[in-house]
Amino acid sequence: MVINALYNDSSTAALSAYSVTGYDRTRRGMQQITVTANRFEAHFNITVKVPANAEMTANVYQATTQSHRNWYRAALIKGRPLPDNGLPEDLAITVKANGAVATFTSANGGISASNLSGFNPNLPGLQTLSITLDEKSVALPVYVIDVTPHVFFDYGYWRHSGQAEAVRGGATVAGGTPAQYTVPLNTELVITPVVFSMNTASPSCSWSCTAPYTTFGAGNKYLKVTPTATGTYSATVTVNAGSATGMSATAAIVCTPARPASQPAAVSNAAFSSPLPPVMNSGNTNTGAYIRNFAPGQFTRSGTGYGWSLGAAGGYIVWKLQKQAGGNIQIRGNPMASWSEPGIVWVSADDNGNGLPDDTWYELKGSDDESSHYKNLITRSYGIRYVLATGAGTVNEHGQLIQEIYWVDSKGRTGRIPGGFSGDWGVPTADNAWVEFGTTLMRDDGVIDTATYNGLVFDWGYVDSANPGANAAGRQYDRFYISDAIRADGSPANLPYIDFVRIQSGLLRYAGVFGEVSAEIKWAEGLGSMSDFPSP
């Protein structure tokens, strides 16, 4: 810009000393600028616009609150509009043109809801949201997850579309089976549902049971029953949670004769794995499915590798004990002093004697349960659904088919795990195929899906967690005691014996180039020697 001064003697000259105020290159549209030179001012109207030759990208990585992290992962629940009444406050459009760079946001007036088009909140699957600024447009993928409020009992099996419950010992149960809890005679059982209400309303539960029972907890969340006669009982819960009313689920409670504590655990090499544990090298197959894998050959199942990686939150693997575990089990992952990917340990006894892990599961408490701060960040009876993205996917450099995996949890949060493997889900690999897990989520502080991970450290009670040495109570980070087993309400289970051990990823976080935070299992004692580890 050249500023010419016209003097009283009609002469003109270009001025080198002047100032321009009122211009904001991050705000599109008409602007009035003021030019000041030698105490004189002049006002001009200009129009700021994005030219057709600009390089424009949509950047939604500036999330500051959980609701906006939903948008950050570009996934929404069917029927819900775009956040912030159609314009997420953290949506930023970066424009490079003519040697200049500008970022347009709703906060600085650079974009508005009228600039967004092409989104249908009622159409499940992958959509393309178009953002148009003047002469230039950019496309932003948005995945709409088809899920409705529901409730289910988690008793250790993963769930998928078309079946209420599925996969027992690697075999799919046609039509599904009801949830089932097994309890020895005169033994107290506590159960609670997973309420997939997708809102923050506190659920209100009403129960019916064919055995004498009591309910307790906020909203009558828990049912307590102590069968005094063998047989099969039925328990049904009806849940109201906000606008979701009348949701119900039924579980069978099987009371068996008490088994002598001296009876040894059954010996078997059978493994019962969920869909999430991935294969650790290209030469093996897995009848389960998984969300994401490391590069083939990076890990092996030999003593030099890391064994199994369980995937994101909820991913698990189950072992039948090779020998009686009288007091403790030792399981080791690959933690570092400042980096943990904790796996929660669950145990179960084969009380019904069918050799399958379809009895009642009990979580082993860990150090977070005894922390005045972290115990408030534990979400039990947590549910999460993983959805296979639509489309053909892509093949990576290892010849593996890649499709994005989106998720929605029981609290209504959504997200994406980039680069998920389609793999064998145990269900048809059709668009929108899904699997759903019940689990416990630790460190649930709202920061559940970020681009970085600060390597949270856990003291004891979790596989693949880091504790240099023993803590003040003498608890080693890789030792697990069946005396730590707790019921659904956190009360001691007082188990005299166990037959099965399950390890389940306990965090829902993303670690950038390292992928999702996923518990790894490298070595164990009390489950059998490494050479006796059953194949997943």
Side-chain angles (χ1 to χ4, degrees), residues 417-450:
I417 296 179
F421 290 112
S422 64
D424 178 5
W425 283 66
V427 298
T429 55
D431 292 344
N432 298 313
W434 56 266
V435 290
E436 192 167 83
F437 298 89
T439 184
T440 291
L441 187 66
M442 298 184 298
R443 306 291 173 94
D444 189 5
D445 55 3
V447 188
I448 58 176
D449 199 343
T450 60

Side-chain angles (χ1 to χ4, degrees), residues 145-148 150 159 196 383-387 406-410 434-437:
I145 300 175
D146 189 3
V147 61
T148 56
H150 58 284
R159 310 168 67 250
F196 223 105
I384 185 166
R385 176 180 292 195
Y386 295 100
V387 182
Y406 295 88
W407 59 265
V408 56
D409 72 4
S410 52
W434 56 266
V435 290
E436 192 167 83
F437 298 89

Side-chain angles (χ1 to χ4, degrees), residues 47-69:
T47 301
V48 179
K49 63 187 298 185
V50 176
N53 66 345
E55 176 185 338
M56 192 163 76
T57 57
N59 178 8
V60 288
Y61 288 80
Q62 307 299 321
T64 55
T65 64
Q66 181 54 50
S67 62
H68 301 130
R69 287 190 182 91

